[in-house]
Amino acid sequence: MFEKLLVPVDLSPQSQMMATAAARMASYGVREVVLYSALEHHSKRDPLLKAIDDRLGESGLKHRVVTEVRKDPASAILKAAEAQGSTMIAMAASGKGRVREFFVGSTSLAVIRRSKLPVLLDKFPMEADSDPVGFVEHSPGLLDSVLVTLDLSKATRHMMPYVQQLIDAGARRVTLLHVVQSSRYSITDERRFQEVNRKLEEHRSKLEAGDCQVDTYVRFGTSTYNILESAREAEATLIMLGTTGKSYLRGATLGSTSEEVVKGSSGPVLLIPA
């Protein structure tokens, strides 16, 4: 999953931080980074793009810069990922480039909705703009504490190999979370909770955890609130969830929840397409 990253850059501080974060992912199995810019009226010689390129060069990672002139950023990113043989798209959730606005919310959401690849989306605080490189270098590791949201539908079987990949890449702690919908079930419905716990334990037992601590957690209520609250309680450095799917317990589609989590999360979110 981490082998070949496509990192869209718009020359904003946010995209600079994303490129710096990509350089830190070598220990997770990243072998190559493609910096992709679809902005108009600049070239590889742009000083900010060159600075990002040089930063990756210092990391020792194989990398290159691809620049194109495109009117539809989301489509351009997706086409570039396919053309470059990327295994993941890693992008800043928002930001404003020096040339024109690029990573607006609609672009990020369009990539998430249409991507056939995992998408790592990160939000960087505005206060980090003054020192984007320093902020990333002093941030916790991406895989220190991973919260994995499972809807326990058939899509969960598709998600679990990616969870194993995170563990193999060096995740220190993984929490498997399921939210029982309060709109459909009662908190006193013990049979439902027992079934959910059984399913989570079944998935946990199939993981080759090694030194990684793997926990299961069941919450009751609305999905988005409980995912974000669980992330806060677990001090999650990454939230991982699918972009589509229906709950094992007759839950609502996860697509809308994924987008709400992306909007509400203050940290990185890894989205896995069904």
Side-chain angles (χ1 to χ4, degrees):
M1 176 167 53
F2 286 100
E3 291 86 353
K4 187 173 183 179
L5 301 184
L6 181 87
V7 181
V9 291
D10 67 345
L11 308 183
S12 67
Q14 287 77 21
S15 65
Q16 285 182 274
M17 284 183 269
M18 190 71 253
T20 302
R24 294 184 69 194
M25 295 182 196
S27 61
Y28 302 154
V30 174
R31 295 293 175 262
E32 183 178 356
V33 175
V34 177
L35 296 175
Y36 177 73
S37 176
L39 294 175
E40 300 174 7
H41 309 306
H42 71 78
S43 69
K44 294 181 182 180
R45 291 184 293 275
D46 185 289
L48 285 181
L49 187 58
K50 185 178 184 303
I52 297 174
D53 188 27
D54 290 344
R55 182 64 187 168
L56 281 171
E58 293 172 2
S59 72
L61 277 174
K62 180 181 178 182
H63 68 287
R64 54 201 175 91
V65 177
V66 176
T67 59
E68 295 180 318
V69 176
R70 299 285 186 180
K71 293 183 178 180
D72 181 353
S75 294
I77 291 169
L78 295 170
K79 289 179 181 178
E82 182 178 3
Q84 298 299 323
S86 303
T87 57
M88 180 191 290
I89 299 171
M91 62 188 295
S94 62
K96 184 171 289 189
R98 294 187 302 109
V99 183
R100 64 180 175 86
E101 194 169 0
F102 186 44
F103 292 132
V104 296
S106 59
T107 298
S108 301
L109 291 177
V111 170
I112 292 169
R113 290 166 180 162
R114 296 161 53 191
S115 178
K116 297 179 181 179
L117 297 174
V119 178
L120 175 63
L121 206 62
D122 203 348
K123 293 180 180 178
F124 299 99
M126 294 299 294
E127 58 267 26
D129 288 2
S130 60
D131 184 16
V133 174
F135 173 81
V136 173
E137 290 183 341
H138 291 90
S139 297
L142 181 69
L143 303 185
D144 284 0
S145 179
V146 182
L147 179 72
V148 180
T149 299
L150 301 176
D151 66 357
L152 299 182
S153 69
K154 292 181 180 179
T156 295
R157 290 196 292 271
H158 176 71
M159 286 271 291
M160 294 310 294
Y162 289 99
V163 178
Q164 184 64 60
Q165 288 185 49
L166 293 183
I167 292 174
D168 294 342
R172 295 183 178 182
R173 180 186 179 191
V174 169
T175 302
L176 305 180
L177 168 72
H178 178 77
V179 180
V180 178
Q181 298 291 316
S182 58
S183 61
R184 296 178 180 273
Y185 299 99
S186 168
I187 196 170
T188 60
D189 194 340
E190 293 185 7
R191 290 184 61 185
R192 293 299 185 186
F193 280 90
Q194 289 173 357
E195 184 69 2
V196 168
N197 277 303
R198 183 184 68 80
K199 286 285 184 178
L200 286 177
E201 179 58 29
E202 181 180 306
H203 287 298
R204 188 195 68 80
S205 66
K206 293 179 181 179
L207 294 170
E208 297 179 7
D211 295 331
C212 178
Q213 176 184 339
V214 181
D215 302 313
T216 61
Y217 193 26
V218 179
R219 292 190 68 128
F220 177 80
T222 58
S223 294
T224 301
Y225 171 80
N226 280 282
I227 291 170
L228 295 175
E229 186 65 12
S230 297
R232 184 189 65 80
E233 292 177 358
E235 297 182 336
T237 52
L238 176 67
I239 299 174
M240 175 181 175
L241 70 170
T243 54
T244 60
K246 289 189 176 180
S247 171
Y248 174 74
L249 299 180
R250 303 179 187 175
T253 58
L254 193 59
S256 59
T257 299
S258 301
E259 294 180 10
E260 290 170 0
V261 170
V262 167
K263 293 174 182 177
S265 174
S266 60
V269 179
L270 176 60
L271 297 119
I272 307 298

